[in-house]
């Protein structure tokens, strides 16, 4: 398992903040649109095994020190893992927006 340094966490937080403002640096807009236009059943998408896979992928992504390393890592993911990561990433972005707005349903 890769070691996550504090700097890597700050970089990831900055990327999430940019995404919350509509600037998606890690992912291209076409991939985002293609993946997110098809809703998934959360029960199927987030079973225990898939959660573990996404957790490992996120840990590896965060541990990458540079933008170039992160993009290269994303390019090496299988299509299924890439989709799971995008869905998880935007779920995190959405939750961050909701928690920072102070508005809850």
């Amino acid at each position: 398992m890769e070691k996550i340094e504090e700097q890597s966490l700050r970089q990831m937080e900055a990327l999430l903040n940019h995404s919350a403002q509509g600037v998606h640096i890690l992912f291209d807009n076409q991939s985002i649109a293609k993946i997110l236009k098809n809703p998934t059943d959360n029960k199927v998408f987030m079973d225990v095994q898939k959660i573990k896979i996404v957790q490992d992928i996120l840990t590896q992504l965060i541990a990458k020190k540079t933008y170039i390393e992160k993009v290269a890592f994303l390019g090496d993911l299988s299509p299924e893992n890439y989709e799971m990561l995008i869905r998880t990433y935007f779920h995190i972005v959405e939750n961050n927006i909701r928690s920072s707005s102070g508005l809850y349903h």
Side-chain angles (χ1 to χ4, degrees), residues 21 23 29 33-34 36-37 40 43 46 53 73 76 83 90 94 100-101 103-104:
Q21 297 172 19
V23 180
N29 289 336
K34 180 181 175 184
L36 296 182
K37 77 177 180 179
T40 60
K43 291 178 185 176
M46 292 306 240
I53 291 168
F73 173 76
D76 290 340
E83 178 178 344
F90 282 95
E94 185 176 313
S100 68
S101 73
L103 300 174
Y104 301 95

Side-chain angles (χ1 to χ4, degrees), residues 17-18 26 35 39-42 59 76 80 103 105:
N17 288 334
H18 281 98
L26 287 178
I35 290 169
T40 60
D41 181 0
N42 284 338
T59 300
D76 290 340
E80 180 183 6
L103 300 174
H105 290 146

Side-chain angles (χ1 to χ4, degrees), residues 87-99:
R87 290 184 183 282
T88 302
Y89 180 86
F90 282 95
H91 182 75
I92 292 167
V93 169
E94 185 176 313
N95 283 340
N96 283 343
I97 292 169
R98 285 183 183 156
S99 68

Side-chain angles (χ1 to χ4, degrees), residues 5 7 16 20 37-38 40 48 61 65 70 74 86 88 93 99:
E5 297 177 4
Q7 177 66 25
L16 288 166
K37 77 177 180 179
N38 298 315
T40 60
V48 174
L61 177 64
K65 295 182 190 286
K70 289 179 188 324
L74 294 173
I86 283 183
T88 302
V93 169
S99 68

